[in-house]
């Protein structure tokens, strides 16, 4: 049984560096790095380096779509691509050597037709029958209804397969029920609730609203350098971040989702699964482009995050 990831708006992630970035000047860059990108694909890459079987489902079109398939294949990830008419998008990141600042350019992606959207859900239905988890991560493409992920949640509820969801904006606001674990950032959670969330108490209350309303059984709130907050119906726990040098933050949130899902798939208690997610995200901060962390590095960081033997975790994965 494997984990399945769904990426509805994948991209070719192009990363490069330049001595400086200034308006109107030609910016001469170093040789680019090409990665298969988009939330679910990034999640799958982390799950794969952690040694868990994973299959990535994504739409792909045109020459960029064929390159995307080649990059996923090169990452040794099983895939099911869904052919679409319009070409897959590209994203571009430039790091300025003189300041260390990173400039990210994200294109909207191809418009998907109603039949193309249906084929993506049909592909999930075909392969999700016996999987442990389905992870849907990232934005929706143009043409997709805001409640697309709700349709996915309803489908997986009927199949009895838990859904892990990481999205934002209208796609997040349209989710009403049936998610096992949802991972908003604190900014995304504040936008969802329509109010500022300045402290732990307000964040726990906002997360528990989603649980009480049946949106999700578990809410994991990423706080950036302030750590991670996990909330269930029975408790909440804050996990500190690790202070490490940052090469790039692109894909770290996806790596966290990948680590959490891999941990739950292994049967870890929820607190340990979240620690594995933090270790995976931290390891990804020092890799080029959107590359996942090395498994040995993830293992070392996970060990640093593990509680003392006499500590007892507060959270467990809801059954």
């Amino acid at each position: 049984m494997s984990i399945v990831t769904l990426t509805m708006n994948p991209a070719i992630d192009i990363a490069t560096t330049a001595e400086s970035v200034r308006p109107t000047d030609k910016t001469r860059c170093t040789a680019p790095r090409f990665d298969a990108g988009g939330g679910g694909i990034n999640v799958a890459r982390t799950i794969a380096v952690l040694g868990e079987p994973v299959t990535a489902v994504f739409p792909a079109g045109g020459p960029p779509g064929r390159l995307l398939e080649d990059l996923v294949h090169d990452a040794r990830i099983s895939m099911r691509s869904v052919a679409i008419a319009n070409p897959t998008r590209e994203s571009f990141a430039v790091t300025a050597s003189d300041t260390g600042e990173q400039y990210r350019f994200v294109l909207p992606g191809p418009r998907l037709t109603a039949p193309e959207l249906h084929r993506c859900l049909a592909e999930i239905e075909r392969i999700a029958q016996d999987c442990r988890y389905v992870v849907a991560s990232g934005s929706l493409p143009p043409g997709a209804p805001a409640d697309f992920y709700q349709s996915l949640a309803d489908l997986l509820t009927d199949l009895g397969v838990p859904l892990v969801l990481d999205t934002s904006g209208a796609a997040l606001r349209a989710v009403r029920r049936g998610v096992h674990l949802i991972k908003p950032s604190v900014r995304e959670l504040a936008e969802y609730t329509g109010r500022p969330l300045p402290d732990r108490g307000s964040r726990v209350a906002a997360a528990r609203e989603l649980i009480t309303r049946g949106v999700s059984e578990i809410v994991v709130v990423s706080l950036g350098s302030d750590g991670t907050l996990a909330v269930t119906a029975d408790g909440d726990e804050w996990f500190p971040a690790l202070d490490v040098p940052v090469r790039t933050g692109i894909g770290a949130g996806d790596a966290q989702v990948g680590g959490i899902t891999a941990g739950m798939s292994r049967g870890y208690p929820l607190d340990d699964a979240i620690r594995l997610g933090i270790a995976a995200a931290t390891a990804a901060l020092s890799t080029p482009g959107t590359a996942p962390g090395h498994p040995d590095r993830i293992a070392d960081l996970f060990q640093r995050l593990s509680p003392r033997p006499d500590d007892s975790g507060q959270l467990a994965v809801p059954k």
Side-chain angles (χ1 to χ4, degrees), residues 93-274:
V94 182
T95 301
S97 300
D98 57 348
T99 64
E101 294 177 333
Q102 188 175 74
Y103 299 82
R104 299 170 63 181
F105 304 89
V106 180
L107 300 177
R111 178 170 292 274
L112 269 64
T113 65
E116 289 169 344
L117 293 166
H118 175 75
R119 288 201 295 273
C120 292
L121 288 176
E123 192 62 46
I124 289 291
E125 185 174 19
R126 272 192 291 272
I127 69 171
Q129 304 282 345
D130 297 319
C131 74
R132 295 188 183 102
Y133 292 92
V134 169
V135 183
S137 180
S139 62
L140 292 174
D147 64 353
F148 179 87
Y149 286 136
Q150 184 59 62
S151 298
L152 174 66
D154 292 342
L155 168 66
L156 294 174
T157 297
D158 291 342
L159 294 176
V161 178
L163 171 63
V164 176
L165 179 63
D166 183 11
T167 191
S168 60
L172 176 60
R173 292 191 297 271
V175 177
R176 301 179 301 279
R177 61 185 176 271
V179 179
H180 180 63
L181 184 150
I182 201 164
K183 193 203 75 67
S185 68
V186 66
R187 175 186 58 80
E188 291 163 350
L189 184 60
E191 291 175 352
Y192 184 96
T193 59
R195 63 180 186 270
L197 305 174
D199 52 33
R200 176 170 173 171
S202 63
R203 295 162 185 172
V204 170
R208 193 149 286 135
E209 283 181 23
L210 274 68
I211 296 168
T212 301
R213 288 161 48 193
V215 175
S216 183
E217 296 176 274
I218 305 166
V219 180
V220 177
V221 186
S222 54
L223 309 172
S225 60
D226 291 330
T228 299
L229 178 66
V231 183
T232 67
D234 300 322
D236 61 87
E237 187 171 356
W238 174 76
F239 300 81
L242 291 171
D243 186 15
V244 298
V246 177
R247 183 170 182 175
T248 176
I250 302 176
D254 299 324
Q256 184 175 29
V257 174
I260 292 171
T261 308
M264 293 192 302
S265 182
R266 293 173 180 175
Y268 288 4
L270 180 58
D271 51 357
D272 277 344
I274 292 171

Side-chain angles (χ1 to χ4, degrees), residues 298-313:
I298 296 173
D300 176 65
L301 293 168
F302 178 61
Q303 189 64 36
R304 287 171 56 184
L305 287 162
S306 296
R308 297 185 304 274
D310 58 342
D311 287 343
S312 59

